[in-house]
């Protein structure tokens, strides 16, 4: 059971807060199990979905979240909860307002970047490409539902550096290609990125590319002096 709640309409017609339950298996699998256990029940999958209470949800895992956005959304909610600040909460309200202002500026910059990216992709010319690079979450190979202590500590982590290449093909149709570099090196530093970037640019796909628009997030390995010097010089 989750600590979150959602609004559910009760039998008396009123809405009330009800605890959210996260399912360990998809609803489709729940439906199949129900059909096997209660074969006399004639119910379709779509009807089953409609009858499922809204407080039963599939568990989700969110990774690589922007810390400014994650904290900013919480602060916006906290600010609305302080309706009439008193002597004890007035200082807290002032601090939260400053953090919310930072969050709003961050959102504005994000919107500007998104618009710039969309315009760039839409107006790509022949001989140009957009190259996006980012690290994915580290993972372990050979993991299963049951792990012994030896498996947990002996299986090495693998880093995953991903690239997305966007070029304009025939009839102005955008073509997308993806490249992933896996390594047991977990440093995630600029040297790591530059080594694989250099290897990528030697591929046949870049043979006729004269101009590369390089995009990444604002991670430290992508905005270091070492990275900028190697890319531009």
């Amino acid at each position: 059971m989750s600590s979150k709640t959602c609004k559910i309409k009760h039998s008396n017609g009123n809405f009330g807060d009800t605890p959210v339950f996260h399912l360990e298996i998809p609803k489709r699998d729940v439906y199949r199990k129900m059909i096997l256990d209660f074969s006399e029940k004639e119910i379709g999958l779509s009807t089953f979905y409609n009858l499922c209470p809204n407080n039963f949800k599939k568990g989700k895992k969110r990774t690589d979240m922007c810390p400014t956005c994650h904290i900013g959304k919480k602060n916006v909610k906290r600010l609305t909860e302080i309706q009439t600040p008193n002597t004890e909460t007035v200082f807290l309200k002032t601090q939260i307002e400053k953090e919310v202002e930072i969050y709003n500026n961050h959102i504005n910059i994000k919107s500007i970047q998104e618009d710039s990216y969309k315009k760039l992709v839409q107006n790509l010319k022949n001989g140009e490409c957009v190259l996006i690079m980012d690290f994915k979450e580290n993972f372990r190979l050979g993991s299963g539902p049951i792990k012994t202590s030896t498996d947990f500590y002996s299986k090495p982590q693998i880093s995953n550096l991903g690239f997305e290449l966007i070029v304009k093909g025939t009839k102005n149709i955008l073509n997308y290609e993806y490249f992933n570099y896996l390594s047991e090196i977990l440093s995630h530093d600029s040297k790591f990125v530059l080594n694989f970037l250099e290897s990528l640019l030697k591929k046949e796909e870049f043979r006729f590319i004269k101009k590369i628009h390089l995009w990444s997030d604002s991670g430290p390995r992508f905005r270091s002096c070492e990275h900028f010097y190697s890319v531009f010089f």
Side-chain angles (χ1 to χ4, degrees):
M1 185 176 69
S2 170
S3 59
K4 295 183 178 180
T5 60
C6 65
K7 297 291 184 181
I8 295 292
K9 189 175 183 179
H10 298 306
S11 56
N12 58 5
N14 297 326
F15 287 87
D17 292 327
T18 305
V20 172
F21 292 88
H22 290 304
L23 299 173
E24 295 182 354
I25 59 176
K27 287 185 179 180
R28 182 184 293 270
D29 292 343
V30 176
Y31 169 76
R32 290 171 178 168
K33 189 175 187 305
M34 185 196 72
I35 294 300
L36 291 174
D37 294 343
F38 304 95
S39 56
E40 71 279 4
K41 299 290 184 182
E42 295 183 1
I43 180 174
L45 180 60
S46 59
T47 304
F48 174 78
Y49 282 154
N50 292 331
L51 294 176
C52 280
N54 293 331
N55 61 317
F56 285 84
K57 302 179 181 293
K58 181 181 178 181
K60 296 181 180 180
K61 181 181 179 181
R62 305 175 71 185
T63 61
D64 200 20
M65 296 291 295
C66 171
T68 305
C69 292
H70 181 65
I71 298 174
K73 291 177 182 178
K74 290 184 177 181
N75 284 330
V76 170
K77 184 177 180 180
R78 290 173 64 194
L79 192 60
T80 58
E81 293 174 350
I82 305 177
Q83 300 292 341
T84 53
N86 50 39
T87 54
E88 296 180 355
T89 60
V90 64
F91 177 75
L92 176 62
K93 183 175 183 294
T94 303
Q95 289 296 110
I96 295 177
E97 285 176 340
K98 291 180 180 179
E99 294 177 3
V100 169
E101 183 179 0
I102 294 174
Y103 167 67
N104 290 332
N105 291 334
H106 174 77
I107 293 299
N108 291 334
I109 295 174
K110 174 176 174 288
S111 299
I112 294 173
Q113 289 290 81
E114 286 181 346
D115 291 339
S116 299
Y117 170 77
K118 291 177 181 178
K119 290 179 181 178
L120 174 63
V121 172
Q122 291 172 356
N123 298 313
L124 266 181
K125 300 177 182 178
N126 292 330
E128 295 183 356
C129 75
V130 173
L131 185 62
I132 307 168
M133 53 186 178
D134 192 16
F135 277 100
K136 306 302 179 184
E137 183 180 10
N138 292 346
F139 62 93
R140 296 178 187 271
L141 294 175
S143 296
I146 299 176
K147 296 180 183 177
T148 64
S149 58
T150 305
D151 291 336
F152 181 81
Y153 290 105
S154 63
K155 292 188 181 298
Q157 289 194 60
I158 304 297
S159 63
N160 182 4
L161 176 60
F163 294 90
E164 180 185 26
L165 173 65
I166 307 175
V167 295
K168 184 164 288 187
T170 57
K171 298 182 180 180
N172 290 329
I173 297 177
L174 294 175
N175 296 326
Y176 298 82
E177 288 192 63
Y178 300 91
F179 305 88
N180 290 87
Y181 289 91
L182 309 181
S183 173
E184 292 186 7
I185 301 174
L186 307 178
S187 58
H188 288 198
D189 55 14
S190 297
K191 183 178 180 181
F192 182 98
V193 174
L194 293 169
N195 284 339
F196 287 117
L197 179 60
E198 182 180 0
S199 173
L200 176 66
L201 296 180
K202 293 178 181 179
K203 289 184 175 293
E204 182 67 21
E205 288 83 354
F206 293 88
R207 181 179 177 184
F208 300 105
I209 298 296
K210 298 179 180 179
K211 188 175 184 179
I212 299 175
H213 301 277
L214 199 59
W215 283 75
S216 67
D217 61 15
S218 59
R221 79 280 296 181
F222 297 125
R223 53 184 171 87
S224 67
C225 294
E226 179 184 8
H227 180 81
F228 282 114
Y229 182 84
S230 299
V231 168
F232 292 105
F233 299 100

